Amino acid sequence: MKYLIKKICTLIITLLVISLLSFLAFQVIPGDAALSRLGTGATEQKRESLRREMGLDRPMLERYGSWLKGFLKGDMGESYTYSVPVSGLIREKLPITLAITGMAFVWMLAVSIPLGLLAGKFAGRLPDRILTVLNQLVMSVPGFFMGILITCLFGLALHWFTPGGYVSYQEGWRPFLGYLFFPSVSIALPKCAMGVKLLRSSVIGELNQDYVRTAYSRGNSQTQALFGHVLKNSLLPVLTFWALAIADIVASSVILEQVFTIPGLGTLLVQSISNRDYPVVQAVIVLVAGLTVAINFLVDVLYGVIDPRVNLR
Amino acid sequence: MVEKRNMIVGGILAAAVTVFMLVGLFYTPYDPEAMDLSMKFAPASLAHPFGCDQFGRDVLSRALQGSGVTFLVAAGTLCIGGGLGTLLGLFTGYFGGWPDEMIMRFNDLIVAFPSILLALIFISLLGPGKYNVILALGIVFIPSFARIVRSQVIVHKDMDYVKSARLMGVGHLRILFVHILPNIRRTLFSALAIGFNNAALSEAGMSYLGIGVQPPDASIGRMMSETQAYMFTAPWSVLFPGLAMILMVLGFGLLSDGWSA
């Protein structure tokens, strides 16, 4: 319980600090927001009235307060470029990015658990050696290059999907998720390799423990010992990696969305940075950071459930 | 034995790639920007070992120049991030107390944050370009170095050699830099090699997105986003720069593994 309360406090403080920092960051931008919106041709009077309308004449902390309150209610300001509410833009893009990152996360778990067990079980033998070499290779390919290679192989050569033929989820979930398959695999592959590597060494460590010998001596078969005893214990250190991998997956999705021309949050972010559309940049960053921190919190709590020892700390 | 072999392979690869990058800073066989439409999509030949791109520009020259810029960015990032991070880690780990606690909490916060997003915040504030990328990545890389060095310093500061140095009246600064720092060099080198990879990859990723290194500076990331559409007609214009990148990551990765083993 103490562990949980401590974690919740950390979560709240972290979220507050993130929001404050990203708010402050966009306050120190060189130049005048009203000026950049109206152009240099506007009269001083017009600029002054826009500044008041945008609330730029109030003290900074007060503006942070009202911005945060608005943000929590879903009012994230208005996009400079499109002159529409930022929340609408985000609501439209968020499901896309959530779908890609969610799928990538599932692939990561689905691939790295069985392969990591396999490599750890047969450490030093053929399956392990093949996996180790494959791992090293996959980990060396930059994310966007992996995307380009996959586009070339499965899109252009094998015609399994149409590069650039993104289908919106409004037109149907099946073709939408189908198009996201290859992007999410490109994101997940390097993480799978890392996961297999970590789980492998963790399994090797656990297999040498006394409790495994006890399990055998009580008549458990190798499979029973592996799945009933070793798996659970060796997943613990890997769980921390998976939590950290979420941040990486989100980061790679920003780039892979560009490779596969998917109009998700990442694409919105990149366009907004190029257009200097600060309200959008700020909202996307706070949102993504908030989500990442929240998921990390969930993993921490889960960790406490799986391994009761951390609650005692 | 395997570790040693990996490290030798990694060292050779890393050295070869570094030479390639350093050459790119000073020399390219052709002008990387010179267009020659008669050479459009020319495949690899003796005159153009990597072939030519959609404007008939020599891919080798562009890759050389681009990796030179990548080297500059990665080295600059390591100077800022590795340098400040190491100092921060040394002092917080050695002295402890509330500054340590505070800085580490702040570190935890940043580590949970996707690093490229953090760099993008800086870029959106500072604007793109080579030096801003170095600054952004450098700042973003400080926490990871601080964390690694700090954990090592904490282990070493209670070891006998540090205790006896202190008994002999050696000053704190001298203990930190002359006694502890050389003893944690393997961990530090390993972190620097991985950091070099991460910095180069982040630069490539940002340039690929069009918000990293800007023209006239060439960049492997931007080369790829420009030639990606011609992947099928002229695969060499994408594959060779990509291969150079893979060899770099592989080399420094193996080297780092070797040092940390």
Side-chain angles (χ1 to χ4, degrees):
Chain A
M1 205 54 215
K2 206 174 138 195
Y3 174 74
L4 193 65
I5 292 172
K6 204 175 141 194
K7 282 287 163 196
I8 291 176
C9 290
T10 322
L11 174 75
I12 293 170
I13 294 172
T14 312
L15 288 176
L16 278 177
V17 172
I18 285 179
S19 65
L20 182 64
L21 284 184
S22 29
F23 178 80
L24 288 180
F26 289 93
Q27 299 299 309
V28 295
I29 308 164
D32 184 345
L35 185 72
S36 66
R37 242 180 114 175
L38 288 172
T40 41
T43 60
E44 182 63 34
Q45 216 172 5
K46 228 172 172 180
R47 281 212 300 265
E48 208 43 60
S49 72
L50 181 67
R51 222 175 264 146
R52 200 162 306 129
E53 193 189 308
M54 290 166 83
L56 293 177
D57 53 342
R58 288 180 294 154
M60 201 173 284
L61 226 75
E62 195 187 316
R63 270 187 290 156
Y64 169 69
S66 62
W67 170 79
L68 187 65
K69 222 159 82 190
F71 193 91
L72 291 175
K73 279 192 209 142
D75 169 21
M76 303 171 186
E78 194 175 272
S79 157
Y80 291 169
T81 340
Y82 306 106
S83 297
V84 292
V86 177
S87 53
L89 282 175
I90 287 182
R91 198 168 302 135
E92 192 189 320
K93 312 285 187 192
L94 188 61
I96 305 172
T97 300
L98 281 182
I100 306 182
T101 45
M103 279 167 88
F105 194 70
V106 172
W107 303 146
M108 181 177 79
L109 297 187
V111 172
S112 51
I113 295 179
L115 288 186
L117 273 180
L118 191 75
K121 181 85 186 58
F122 296 101
R125 283 157 60 192
L126 193 65
D128 176 42
R129 285 193 183 168
I130 296 175
L131 277 172
T132 307
V133 172
L134 269 179
N135 264 342
Q136 196 74 46
L137 278 179
V138 169
M139 274 192 279
S140 309
V141 182
F144 59 96
F145 193 57
M146 180 72 82
I148 293 177
L149 287 179
I150 285 186
T151 311
C152 191
L153 181 62
F154 295 104
L156 298 173
L158 295 172
H159 296 289
W160 288 7
F161 76 104
T162 328
Y166 166 77
V167 187
S168 163
Y169 57 94
Q170 279 133 349
E171 290 167 44
W173 282 94
R174 275 168 73 103
F176 168 69
L177 293 178
Y179 186 75
L180 294 189
F181 177 77
F182 286 105
S184 58
V185 166
S186 321
I187 298 174
L189 267 175
K191 307 287 164 293
C192 290
M194 196 65 210
V196 170
K197 193 178 169 186
L198 284 173
L199 187 56
R200 170 186 178 273
S201 58
S202 169
V203 166
I204 293 174
E206 292 296 328
L207 278 174
N208 290 324
Q209 298 278 324
D210 285 341
Y211 72 84
V212 180
R213 206 171 43 197
T214 313
Y216 284 141
S217 69
R218 289 203 341 231
N220 282 300
S221 70
Q222 286 212 346
T223 334
Q224 279 171 333
L226 196 63
F227 287 96
H229 300 273
V230 174
L231 177 61
K232 225 169 113 182
N233 284 306
S234 34
L235 279 181
L236 282 176
V238 190
L239 207 63
T240 323
F241 161 72
W242 282 331
L244 285 174
I246 292 169
D248 270 356
I249 287 180
V250 171
S252 347
S253 81
V254 173
I255 294 174
L256 267 298
E257 276 179 15
Q258 299 284 307
V259 179
F260 289 89
T261 50
I262 299 166
L265 272 190
T267 309
L268 181 68
L269 178 67
V270 172
Q271 278 169 357
S272 311
I273 290 176
S274 306
N275 295 337
R276 300 188 159 255
D277 193 346
Y278 295 122
V280 181
V281 178
Q282 194 177 10
V284 172
I285 283 177
V286 172
L287 193 71
V288 171
L291 277 178
T292 319
V293 173
I295 294 173
N296 269 310
F297 163 76
L298 283 180
V299 174
D300 274 346
V301 172
L302 196 67
Y303 209 107
V305 173
I306 299 175
D307 185 0
R309 282 173 301 180
V310 297
N311 286 328
L312 301 175
R313 266 188 235 146
Chain B
M1 217 26 235
V2 180
E3 273 84 28
K4 188 139 195 198
R5 198 185 59 210
N6 279 351
M7 194 164 165
I8 293 169
V9 174
I12 293 173
L13 268 177
V17 174
T18 310
V19 167
F20 185 80
M21 289 173 149
L22 287 176
V23 166
L25 272 179
F26 302 106
Y27 168 79
T28 53
Y30 296 86
D31 176 2
E33 298 300 323
M35 301 186 196
D36 177 3
L37 286 180
S38 66
M39 293 301 284
K40 185 177 172 185
F41 294 137
S45 62
L46 270 183
H48 298 278
F50 283 11
C52 291
D53 68 359
Q54 72 274 27
F55 297 116
R57 296 177 295 194
D58 181 43
V59 174
L60 175 63
S61 299
R62 292 181 62 73
L64 267 170
Q65 201 199 25
S67 35
V69 173
T70 300
F71 181 81
L72 211 66
V73 171
T77 303
L78 287 190
C79 283
I80 299 179
L84 292 180
T86 305
L87 284 180
L88 207 63
L90 280 173
F91 284 115
T92 52
Y94 188 76
F95 292 109
W98 65 264
D100 173 46
E101 183 69 20
M102 246 180 71
I103 291 173
M104 283 305 129
R105 284 292 143 272
F106 191 68
N107 249 352
D108 285 346
L109 200 152
I110 292 184
V111 169
F113 203 88
S115 63
I116 198 162
L117 269 190
L118 212 58
L120 288 183
I121 297 183
F122 284 110
I123 290 299
S124 73
L125 296 177
L126 303 169
K130 182 161 65 178
Y131 297 108
N132 287 345
V133 171
I134 294 180
L135 193 63
L137 289 177
I139 296 173
V140 170
F141 276 41
I142 293 175
S144 57
F145 279 102
R147 177 185 284 247
I148 293 167
V149 170
R150 174 180 175 270
S151 66
Q152 284 290 310
V153 171
I154 287 179
V155 173
H156 279 259
K157 76 172 179 187
D158 289 329
M159 284 192 177
D160 287 339
Y161 75 92
V162 174
K163 282 184 184 159
S164 34
R166 211 174 291 148
L167 273 180
M168 285 165 66
V170 180
H172 289 310
L173 280 181
R174 195 177 158 80
I175 288 184
L176 267 181
F177 289 96
V178 180
H179 294 262
I180 294 184
L181 194 59
N183 276 304
I184 60 171
R185 63 181 184 279
R186 287 178 76 92
T187 316
L188 196 60
F189 286 155
S190 164
L192 282 173
I194 284 289
F196 186 88
N197 269 348
N198 289 338
L201 285 178
S202 307
E203 184 273 320
M206 283 156 80
S207 302
Y208 179 84
L209 295 177
I211 40 187
V213 173
Q214 297 293 307
D217 286 322
S219 149
I220 295 211
R222 222 186 43 251
M223 273 173 85
M224 288 191 173
S225 73
E226 282 169 6
T227 46
Q228 186 190 346
Y230 312 103
M231 176 95 201
F232 215 53
T233 34
W236 48 85
S237 56
V238 184
L239 288 183
F240 282 123
L243 213 62
M245 200 103 222
I246 292 178
L247 288 181
M248 179 198 81
V249 180
L250 195 62
F252 282 94
L254 287 176
L255 207 56
S256 164
D257 279 356
W259 267 318
S260 64

